[in-house]
Amino acid sequence: MLTPSAMPRPALRHETVLLAVVLLEWLCFHALGPRFGTLENSFDLLRHSAEIGLLALAMTPVILTGGIDLSVGSLLGLCAVLYGKLWRDAGLDPGAAAGCTLALGALAGGLNAALIAGLRLPPLIVTLGTYSLFRGLAEAITRGADTFTNFPASFLFLGQERWLGLPSQAWLFAAVAAAVWLLVHRTTFGRACRAHGFAPEGARHAGLPAGRQLAAVYMLSGLIAALAAVIYTARLGQARADAGTGYELLAITAVVLGGTSIFGGRGTVHGTLLGVAALAILNNGLVHARQPREVAGLLTGALLLLALAAGTAPRLGTAWRARRAPHPSPS
Amino acid sequence: MSAPLLELRRLTKSFGGARALRGVDFDLRAGEVHALLGENGAGKSTLIRIITGAHRPDGGTVAVDGRPAGPLDPRGAHQLGIACIYQQPALFPDLSIAENLALRLETGGSLRRVDWPARHRRATALLERVGARLDPHREVRDLSMPEQQLVEIACALGAGARIVVMDEPTAALTQAEQTRLHGVVRELRAQGTGVIYITHRLEEIFVLADRVTVLRDGESVGTRPAADLTEPELIRLMVGREVAQPYPPAERPPGGAVLRLRRLGRRDSGVHDVSLDLHAGEILGLAGLVGAGRTELARILFGLTPADAGTIELLGRTVRPRSPREAVEMGLAYVPEDRRRHGVILDLPLAHNASLASHRRLFPGGWLRPAAERRFTEDFIRDLGIRGGGPFAPAGSLSGGNQQKVALARWLATGPRVLILDEPTQGVDIGAKAEIHRLVRRLAGEGLAVLLISSDLPEVIGMSDRIGVMRGGTLTAVLPRDATPDTVMAAALGRATEAAR
Amino acid sequence: MKAWPRELSVGLALAALLGALAVFAPGFFAGPPLLSLAAREAPVLLVACGAAMVIVCRQIDISSGSQFAVVSVAAGLLAAEGWPPAAVAAAALVLGTTLGALNGLLVAGLGLPSIVVTLATMVTWREGLRWWRQGAFVNLPDGLQWLGLDQTAGQWTLIAAALGLFTLLAIASRHLAAGRHLYAVGSDAEAARLAGIRPAAVTFGAFTLAGALTALAALMNVIQSPQVDPKSGTGLELKAIAAVVVGGVAIAGGRGRLAGVLLGLLLLATVAPALTHLRIEAHWEKAIQGAIILLAVAAERARGRPA
Amino acid sequence: GRAPDSARDAAGGGKRLTVALLPKSKGNAYFISCRAGAEKAARALGVDLLFDGPTDTDPAKQNEIIENWINLGVDVIAAACENREGISTALRKAQARGIKVITYDADALPDARAFFVNQATPEGIGHTLMDEAARLTNAEGEFAVILSTLTASNMQEWLKHIRARLAEKYPRMKLVAVRPCDDQKDKAQTEATTLLSAHPGLRLLMNICSPAVPGAAEAVKQAGKAVRVKVIGLGLPSENRRYVKDGVTDSVILWKTEDLGALAVEAAVALAKGTLQPGATSFRTATGATYEVKGDQILLGQPFIFNRDNIDQFNF
Ligand SMILES: Nc1ncnc2c1ncn2[C@@H]1O[C@H](COP(=O)(O)OP(=O)(O)OP(=O)(O)O)[C@@H](O)[C@H]1O
Ligand SMILES: Nc1ncnc2c1ncn2[C@@H]1O[C@H](COP(=O)(O)OP(=O)(O)OP(=O)(O)O)[C@@H](O)[C@H]1O
Ligand SMILES: [Mg+2]
Ligand SMILES: [Mg+2]
């Protein structure tokens, strides 16, 4: 093991390494697949990564507080089903149904919040429970079989068409990304999230409103998951209980690839965005390179290790960090 | 004369760009207490962390018994008979006291069987030796700062080492424990053990040390027999200049009562029936033995462990803070005694740490204003003489004393009505201590009410307008400012009969 | 007021569930099916023990499901090649240990975060296996099932082996210095280093042991049926981690007991069959499972929140 | 586009066609078998075959792959749809770009494809399963269904027809439970074990996803109920041979999966070359076989029922 002082100073920020990886990927696939770089394909890339991207954005502040939200994928499924219910069975118009779905998503996030911030239960267990609960509710509501479809074109516009030259959901995604970036990097809220992630007791002693803080973060996560559900429904033109299965892991992958420490405190929103981009380009590009899906999986694994090894190992070296966790710990 | 027990030659060590040690020579003889002095950030802890193998030096040699010991690691140092009490207790919060001791003391392969009864017996014996009445089954996370320090001391004693290093062992200990520790140190010296002793309480040097080495900015400014030195000389060696009169006098008499406590208590923390008035502009010192309940009282006031009995009246209104956030909104501020766990957030930059409690004041509307924050940080770095990194160095990279200054800066910036200081100058060097004293006195002069909890008896007596003494979870006496150490100790030990009120 | 220990609240939840079964569906307690179910969960117990060790030393391993599949398929193929059972078992153990050690090397040696490392190895092994085998089942030779014992004896053997190993590990984690080192490193790695423990070695050991346990678990699963499904073990890591954290092991390391893990696993493994016995329709199952997890952990706060 | 549409041009210009074949999920033995047939056909026809799909069933992922293929510029897409409505959006888009689309195994909405290569109608499958179940149990007693997941649309479709047939023809039979096995044999074994003990009166286990058939059979065998409880399902002969021979599994229903894959490719190529036109009533493959076309569905033929007597004739 490296002793703290023997480790080199960080040569490059993790985000820089990741940016290089993203560019490299782009060039590589551009060379391999003649149609990879087309505008068409770039737009599709954007559309395909919107939902995972949103979930990853939602997850970033959560992980910064030292928590985790395993329930986002299931909540996406539940919200998709709720949206279908509200529109088809309750007869709301698509806009109103979307509004209600967002509120319900925040409410569901509120359940996580109540258990984590109110009862001070560990986030991992709570969201493991709601991971199952939300998916289960989605299945119970539809009995597993019901599919909502035939949404009006005005709603599908949101997922399938372009607005001002870009896929419509790209605008929403950009707005959420900007909002989360500002929240995390430019407000006292984000600062307090980090403080809590590094040392919950220390943050409490500083008089930070730990409970409210955590509650807000998990409710925000619910809200964004609901938004992702609406976009997902609009993109596929259908809502079903299995929507978003396994997305939580993809979102977490993007976040940790983006350099956020799973133990909290450390991480950036732009890192997360780069992480999302790296994974999305990989998945899309390999189709253009005519490689089977499994290769995407294998390369995801390799990419995770390489990017982190390049970016994290030197950063672990700052002695004060290593002093707290000289054996490996996520950075 | 035989080879010294330990001999360091031209040790150098840098952290990134910062040079903590610039070629230090040091030696320790068997059967001596060698004091290591210096300002905050002078490199004392770095030096001993090299001795114990916690850090690897960049250059220089370490010799034990005249034989060069290659670069040490903690295990190797342990085998050479080196034991250490670290400035930051290096304990396992999730494990019991007995196990903490055992992990540091037991040797042998990792496939050996663990003898729990023996562990507990040994722990009980060691705790008794340092005078700590602690149940060895208790988890360390539940211990208060001084209790942790006692466990650390027990660790160092139990090791039966030939070289014992103590990095500010008494920072959070009261007179009684301190005296007891001195006895133990003398005992070790008599057995031929070499002791390296670091402290910022100069009075300890003269009762304990045989020789003194002073570090300044990572260099040794000389080693002298303690008997040849006077306090002013020592200070000049450390700081390089004279330090003004240590305790500034009160400028004007206290005003009206800001804080009234009546029969305040909380069952599970053992505090009960505390009645007390604290006036604007007054510094009320709180003395007592470890476990007397002073910290617990502060935690009650600050809403960390809300009261379940009695009343708190703040500026004429009855309040009961249920969380630190509420307490802060009411105008309370609390500098906790455990700075590593509570006082600062080690991974956050210094600037973020210092502004953490004043977000509303510094950043109206919740938007960060980096420029304002930077100015604010640079101001207090200058005022408190914080050394070892700019505004964006992580707090954890500062030396212990400098971290303490950051913890203080955070709360001074909030502009509170009542300031509770729990061991505010633990580990702070003499120069900075005087600076802090002046600052606190000035704030009091501006009408702030200060509750000063300190185990540094001269400090309590020197700074306070009145001195409260706690024992067994309640306030047993309030002494006037001309109390002597003896009367305070007598009250703390329960020998006082004239409970002046 | 102190909160209940997690073991107690999980135990209560389990007791409540069993009570409901005793009243409404006593058929649950019929011997042979229960034995079969227990035998099917025996491998999971071993994986959960491995996960517990890793979590106690403040790491996480989410690759165990994929390791399980790789070892299962490899063992199956070797057996189909005609290797004797003992050789198959030895090879599987070596393979599992190697996979675990690889995680350990990346985490402890290179200092990479364990969530990332095991996420990477998880997808790598799973996708690699899919690429290689294309989902084909492996048919095992006759005579490998139950290792030639009769079925009941085989099932008892598996359960006894799993419980025996569990007990050994539980004792070791309390009464062996190495076991305590896991807790020490998980509690504070720097303090452990200063106490002369080598955190990297301990972490490496935990991952390696977890790999070995996963391999054993895979073997115990393979001998329960005459075919190996390369998808086996999908989601196993989540089940194991759920059992561990529900059983009261702190995800931040240093705290928790294996006894709690056993209780947690029993609770989780009872819920699904219980719902079938209680005639609850499948589409309610996940919701109820989630609710039970939440209730079980919320119960520990029932006596009052620690201030 | 920047680059010449090499693949698309090829359709008219005599260069190699690219056929993209989308399974519901990869790593599933059923689709592996389809792929084998498809590859044979592709080689015979001299076309390029792209076979790719999500690693786990996921409608969103299927859409993404199709949209990627659109950008990639394949000539024909043959899709097995995890979810009818969801995928139709993407398939319509492909058609709008001039890519020919057919579906196989599981259909999309009719306007999203030209033809559906139908191995058996959901109705046919449901009825065959139910009839076979009734035959084996003398049309009385309890039975249970194990499926892959509750949300898989073809499972629900089959289940619907199973229930309809049950209500219509077999009043003395009762469907007591429907359990998912997540497409895992091990989980199916556990589910079956639980079902056997929770429903002592159970006479038959009907497994409508392929890994569940051997899983359920093993559970029945271990419970010692091979005689009393019948096992049937949709599965591959290779995975079930042992149990069918042992008399644990009574019948396995399947069509020739390799032929399905091959037919899908044949039809796709014919469609792209214009030799298969809407309104055709029969389809003659390049290898000379003839299939019936009913409306916009190309029929593979009746499913087989594998049992003890004929299982050795099949090796997939
Ligand atoms: N892990 C570290 N990373 C970076 N800098 C460090 C680290 N440890 C110490 N330093 C720096 O080295 C210098 C010496 O620190 P050291 O802790 O040895 O001081 P000290 O003499 O013990 O002070 P104090 O009396 O405050 O405890 C300081 O400037 C400090 O900021
Ligand atoms: N009567 C009591 N009953 C139960 N616990 C007690 C009692 N008195 C003290 N304690 C416990 O002892 C520990 C030490 O108490 P505390 O820290 O308040 O003492 P203190 O006077 O602040 O000591 P110090 O002067 O060293 O800071 C605390 O954890 C507290 O909970
Ligand atoms: Mg120091
Ligand atoms: Mg105290």
Side-chain angles (χ1 to χ4, degrees), chain B residues 138 142 144 146-147 172 174 269-270 289-296 337 423 455:
Chain B
R138 275 176 71 185
D142 297 330
S144 68
E147 288 168 337
T174 53
S269 60
L289 302 181
V290 166
R294 298 169 302 164
T295 297
E296 292 301 321
E337 68 176 349
E423 314 289 358
S455 299

Side-chain angles (χ1 to χ4, degrees), chain B residues 126 205 223 293 319 335 377 391 407 417 452 455 481 494-495:
Chain B
L126 282 175
I205 309 292
T223 302
V319 296
V335 178
T377 312
R417 303 301 303 263
L452 172 67
S455 299
R481 81 166 291 158
R495 280 188 238 119

Side-chain angles (χ1 to χ4, degrees), chain C residues 221-232:
Chain C
N221 191 49
V222 163
I223 61 170
Q224 291 193 46
S225 80
Q227 284 169 329
V228 178
D229 177 356
K231 278 182 107 174
S232 63

Side-chain angles (χ1 to χ4, degrees), chain A residues 30 34-35 37-38 40-41 44 47-48 139 143-145 147 149 160 232 235-238 240-242 245 247 250 283-284 287-288 290-294, chain D residues 2-3 5 18 26 48 50 52-55 58-61 63-65 67-73 82-83 85-86 89 93 97 150-153 156:
Chain A
H30 199 69
R35 285 148 168 279
T38 57
E40 200 77 15
N41 190 53
D44 274 347
R47 296 199 306 118
H48 297 161
E139 286 185 359
R143 303 177 63 83
T147 303
T149 177
Q160 300 173 6
Y232 177 97
R235 174 160 74 93
L236 259 68
Q238 67 151 34
R240 225 172 44 161
D242 63 351
T245 306
Y247 282 20
L250 297 175
N283 272 300
N284 180 295
V287 175
H288 284 261
R290 303 199 173 205
Q291 293 300 316
R293 284 257 130 185
E294 293 88 337
Chain D
R2 217 172 8 83
D5 279 5
T18 302
K26 299 190 87 170
D48 284 336
L50 269 182
D52 207 359
T55 46
D58 179 350
K61 281 271 164 333
N63 278 32
E64 286 172 32
I65 292 169
E67 283 169 355
N68 277 334
W69 278 341
I70 297 174
N71 293 332
L72 185 60
E82 167 63 16
N83 202 296
E85 290 81 13
T89 326
K93 190 167 153 188
R97 305 289 168 84
L150 288 176
T151 43
S153 54
Q156 290 293 347

Side-chain angles (χ1 to χ4, degrees), chain B residues 54 142 157 185 289 392 407 430:
Chain B
D142 297 330
L157 289 187
V185 171
L289 302 181
F392 298 102
I430 184 115

Side-chain angles (χ1 to χ4, degrees), chain A residues 319-320 323, chain B residues 15 18-20 38-47 55 87 167-168 200 387-389 396-402 427:
Chain A
W320 57 272
R323 194 163 68 182
Chain B
F15 296 100
R19 295 176 64 190
E39 290 186 274
N40 295 135
K44 306 179 293 297
S45 299
T46 307
L47 185 76
H55 282 331
Q87 184 177 13
D167 194 353
E168 300 192 29
H200 288 291
R387 247 175 291 163
S397 75
L398 299 182
S399 77
N402 283 313

